[in-house]
PDB file of all heavy atoms in Angstrom:
ATOM      1  N   ILE A  82      -8.246  18.921   7.362  1.00 89.00           N
ATOM      2  CA  ILE A  82      -7.984  20.355   7.183  1.00 89.00           C
ATOM      3  C   ILE A  82      -9.250  21.195   7.069  1.00 89.00           C
ATOM      4  O   ILE A  82      -9.359  22.262   7.674  1.00 89.00           O
ATOM      5  CB  ILE A  82      -7.081  20.564   5.942  1.00 89.00           C
ATOM      6  CG1 ILE A  82      -5.686  19.985   6.220  1.00 89.00           C
ATOM      7  CG2 ILE A  82      -6.983  22.028   5.581  1.00 89.00           C
ATOM      8  CD1 ILE A  82      -4.739  20.016   5.041  1.00 89.00           C
ATOM      9  N   VAL A  83     -10.253  20.698   6.324  1.00 87.00           N
ATOM     10  CA  VAL A  83     -11.431  21.525   6.047  1.00 87.00           C
ATOM     11  C   VAL A  83     -12.168  21.904   7.336  1.00 87.00           C
ATOM     12  O   VAL A  83     -12.682  23.010   7.471  1.00 87.00           O
ATOM     13  CB  VAL A  83     -12.387  20.796   5.072  1.00 87.00           C
ATOM     14  CG1 VAL A  83     -13.690  21.575   4.887  1.00 87.00           C
ATOM     15  CG2 VAL A  83     -11.701  20.602   3.726  1.00 87.00           C
ATOM     16  N   SER A  84     -12.169  20.988   8.306  1.00 87.00           N
ATOM     17  CA  SER A  84     -12.965  21.240   9.511  1.00 87.00           C
ATOM     18  C   SER A  84     -12.187  21.990  10.595  1.00 87.00           C
ATOM     19  O   SER A  84     -12.721  22.244  11.666  1.00 87.00           O
ATOM     20  CB  SER A  84     -13.469  19.917  10.084  1.00 87.00           C
ATOM     21  OG  SER A  84     -12.375  19.102  10.414  1.00 87.00           O
ATOM     22  N   LEU A  85     -10.924  22.357  10.323  1.00 86.00           N
ATOM     23  CA  LEU A  85     -10.150  23.085  11.330  1.00 86.00           C
ATOM     24  C   LEU A  85     -10.809  24.417  11.643  1.00 86.00           C
ATOM     25  O   LEU A  85     -11.191  25.160  10.740  1.00 86.00           O
ATOM     26  CB  LEU A  85      -8.728  23.365  10.819  1.00 86.00           C
ATOM     27  CG  LEU A  85      -7.683  22.260  10.871  1.00 86.00           C
ATOM     28  CD1 LEU A  85      -6.356  22.801  10.392  1.00 86.00           C
ATOM     29  CD2 LEU A  85      -7.557  21.699  12.268  1.00 86.00           C
ATOM     30  N   GLY A  86     -10.919  24.726  12.931  1.00 86.00           N
ATOM     31  CA  GLY A  86     -11.489  26.014  13.314  1.00 86.00           C
ATOM     32  C   GLY A  86     -10.523  27.134  12.995  1.00 86.00           C
ATOM     33  O   GLY A  86      -9.321  26.916  12.885  1.00 86.00           O
ATOM     34  N   LYS A  87     -11.085  28.343  12.844  1.00 84.00           N
ATOM     35  CA  LYS A  87     -10.262  29.497  12.482  1.00 84.00           C
ATOM     36  C   LYS A  87      -9.153  29.759  13.492  1.00 84.00           C
ATOM     37  O   LYS A  87      -8.118  30.305  13.162  1.00 84.00           O
ATOM     38  CB  LYS A  87     -11.134  30.757  12.377  1.00 84.00           C
ATOM     39  CG  LYS A  87     -11.570  31.057  10.969  1.00 84.00           C
ATOM     40  CD  LYS A  87     -12.247  32.413  10.910  1.00 84.00           C
ATOM     41  CE  LYS A  87     -12.625  32.753   9.468  1.00 84.00           C
ATOM     42  NZ  LYS A  87     -13.509  33.902   9.367  1.00 84.00           N
ATOM     43  N   ARG A  88      -9.420  29.419  14.753  1.00 85.00           N
ATOM     44  CA  ARG A  88      -8.428  29.719  15.782  1.00 85.00           C
ATOM     45  C   ARG A  88      -7.626  28.483  16.186  1.00 85.00           C
ATOM     46  O   ARG A  88      -6.852  28.531  17.136  1.00 85.00           O
ATOM     47  CB  ARG A  88      -9.119  30.292  17.023  1.00 85.00           C
ATOM     48  CG  ARG A  88      -9.807  31.597  16.712  1.00 85.00           C
ATOM     49  CD  ARG A  88     -10.346  32.280  17.939  1.00 85.00           C
ATOM     50  NE  ARG A  88     -11.271  33.323  17.566  1.00 85.00           N
ATOM     51  CZ  ARG A  88     -10.913  34.472  16.989  1.00 85.00           C
ATOM     52  NH1 ARG A  88      -9.649  34.714  16.751  1.00 85.00           N
ATOM     53  NH2 ARG A  88     -11.807  35.370  16.649  1.00 85.00           N
ATOM     54  N   ASP A  89      -7.842  27.392  15.479  1.00 87.00           N
ATOM     55  CA  ASP A  89      -7.093  26.180  15.778  1.00 87.00           C
ATOM     56  C   ASP A  89      -5.603  26.425  15.519  1.00 87.00           C
ATOM     57  O   ASP A  89      -5.226  26.858  14.426  1.00 87.00           O
ATOM     58  CB  ASP A  89      -7.599  25.040  14.876  1.00 87.00           C
ATOM     59  CG  ASP A  89      -7.142  23.679  15.391  1.00 87.00           C
ATOM     60  OD1 ASP A  89      -5.947  23.553  15.691  1.00 87.00           O
ATOM     61  OD2 ASP A  89      -7.980  22.775  15.486  1.00 87.00           O
ATOM     62  N   PRO A  90      -4.758  26.203  16.512  1.00 87.00           N
ATOM     63  CA  PRO A  90      -3.314  26.446  16.304  1.00 87.00           C
ATOM     64  C   PRO A  90      -2.733  25.621  15.159  1.00 87.00           C
ATOM     65  O   PRO A  90      -1.745  26.008  14.545  1.00 87.00           O
ATOM     66  CB  PRO A  90      -2.685  26.057  17.649  1.00 87.00           C
ATOM     67  CG  PRO A  90      -3.720  25.288  18.386  1.00 87.00           C
ATOM     68  CD  PRO A  90      -5.042  25.750  17.876  1.00 87.00           C
ATOM     69  N   ARG A  91      -3.390  24.494  14.879  1.00 88.00           N
ATOM     70  CA  ARG A  91      -2.874  23.648  13.794  1.00 88.00           C
ATOM     71  C   ARG A  91      -2.999  24.335  12.436  1.00 88.00           C
ATOM     72  O   ARG A  91      -2.237  24.074  11.510  1.00 88.00           O
ATOM     73  CB  ARG A  91      -3.619  22.310  13.765  1.00 88.00           C
ATOM     74  CG  ARG A  91      -3.136  21.351  14.838  1.00 88.00           C
ATOM     75  CD  ARG A  91      -3.944  20.088  14.826  1.00 88.00           C
ATOM     76  NE  ARG A  91      -5.346  20.349  15.167  1.00 88.00           N
ATOM     77  CZ  ARG A  91      -6.270  19.393  15.265  1.00 88.00           C
ATOM     78  NH1 ARG A  91      -5.949  18.135  15.035  1.00 88.00           N
ATOM     79  NH2 ARG A  91      -7.504  19.702  15.590  1.00 88.00           N
ATOM     80  N   LEU A  92      -3.979  25.266  12.334  1.00 88.00           N
ATOM     81  CA  LEU A  92      -4.173  25.967  11.062  1.00 88.00           C
ATOM     82  C   LEU A  92      -2.969  26.865  10.753  1.00 88.00           C
ATOM     83  O   LEU A  92      -2.447  26.874   9.638  1.00 88.00           O
ATOM     84  CB  LEU A  92      -5.450  26.806  11.135  1.00 88.00           C
ATOM     85  CG  LEU A  92      -5.891  27.466   9.830  1.00 88.00           C
ATOM     86  CD1 LEU A  92      -6.176  26.441   8.766  1.00 88.00           C
ATOM     87  CD2 LEU A  92      -7.124  28.326  10.072  1.00 88.00           C
ATOM     88  N   GLN A  93      -2.518  27.587  11.789  1.00 87.00           N
ATOM     89  CA  GLN A  93      -1.357  28.456  11.615  1.00 87.00           C
ATOM     90  C   GLN A  93      -0.102  27.630  11.361  1.00 87.00           C
ATOM     91  O   GLN A  93       0.786  28.029  10.611  1.00 87.00           O
ATOM     92  CB  GLN A  93      -1.194  29.322  12.866  1.00 87.00           C
ATOM     93  CG  GLN A  93      -0.888  30.772  12.588  1.00 87.00           C
ATOM     94  CD  GLN A  93      -1.950  31.453  11.742  1.00 87.00           C
ATOM     95  OE1 GLN A  93      -1.738  31.660  10.564  1.00 87.00           O
ATOM     96  NE2 GLN A  93      -3.084  31.780  12.317  1.00 87.00           N
ATOM     97  N   GLU A  94      -0.030  26.470  12.023  1.00 88.00           N
ATOM     98  CA  GLU A  94       1.122  25.594  11.860  1.00 88.00           C
ATOM     99  C   GLU A  94       1.142  25.006  10.445  1.00 88.00           C
ATOM    100  O   GLU A  94       2.186  24.861   9.825  1.00 88.00           O
ATOM    101  CB  GLU A  94       1.042  24.486  12.923  1.00 88.00           C
ATOM    102  CG  GLU A  94       2.236  23.562  12.991  1.00 88.00           C
ATOM    103  CD  GLU A  94       3.565  24.301  12.949  1.00 88.00           C
ATOM    104  OE1 GLU A  94       3.667  25.378  13.572  1.00 88.00           O
ATOM    105  OE2 GLU A  94       4.479  23.795  12.278  1.00 88.00           O
ATOM    106  N   LEU A  95      -0.075  24.717   9.972  1.00 90.00           N
ATOM    107  CA  LEU A  95      -0.214  24.159   8.624  1.00 90.00           C
ATOM    108  C   LEU A  95       0.330  25.122   7.577  1.00 90.00           C
ATOM    109  O   LEU A  95       1.123  24.767   6.718  1.00 90.00           O
ATOM    110  CB  LEU A  95      -1.709  23.897   8.384  1.00 90.00           C
ATOM    111  CG  LEU A  95      -2.121  23.453   7.002  1.00 90.00           C
ATOM    112  CD1 LEU A  95      -2.095  21.953   6.957  1.00 90.00           C
ATOM    113  CD2 LEU A  95      -3.516  23.949   6.664  1.00 90.00           C
ATOM    114  N   ARG A  96      -0.102  26.382   7.700  1.00 91.00           N
ATOM    115  CA  ARG A  96       0.291  27.384   6.711  1.00 91.00           C
ATOM    116  C   ARG A  96       1.759  27.747   6.881  1.00 91.00           C
ATOM    117  O   ARG A  96       2.145  28.407   7.830  1.00 91.00           O
ATOM    118  CB  ARG A  96      -0.535  28.657   6.890  1.00 91.00           C
ATOM    119  CG  ARG A  96      -1.988  28.496   6.537  1.00 91.00           C
ATOM    120  CD  ARG A  96      -2.680  29.816   6.711  1.00 91.00           C
ATOM    121  NE  ARG A  96      -4.111  29.680   6.478  1.00 91.00           N
ATOM    122  CZ  ARG A  96      -5.015  30.427   7.100  1.00 91.00           C
ATOM    123  NH1 ARG A  96      -4.628  31.326   7.976  1.00 91.00           N
ATOM    124  NH2 ARG A  96      -6.288  30.263   6.841  1.00 91.00           N
ATOM    125  N   GLY A  97       2.556  27.315   5.967  1.00 88.00           N
ATOM    126  CA  GLY A  97       3.960  27.693   5.997  1.00 88.00           C
ATOM    127  C   GLY A  97       4.829  26.761   6.806  1.00 88.00           C
ATOM    128  O   GLY A  97       6.023  26.685   6.593  1.00 88.00           O
TER     129      GLY A  97
END
Side-chain angles (χ1 to χ4, degrees):
Chain A
I82 292 175
V83 174
S84 60
L85 280 183
K87 264 188 177 168
R88 297 187 195 289
D89 196 312
R91 282 177 296 182
L92 187 61
Q93 224 58 257
E94 186 45 39
L95 174 91
R96 292 182 184 149

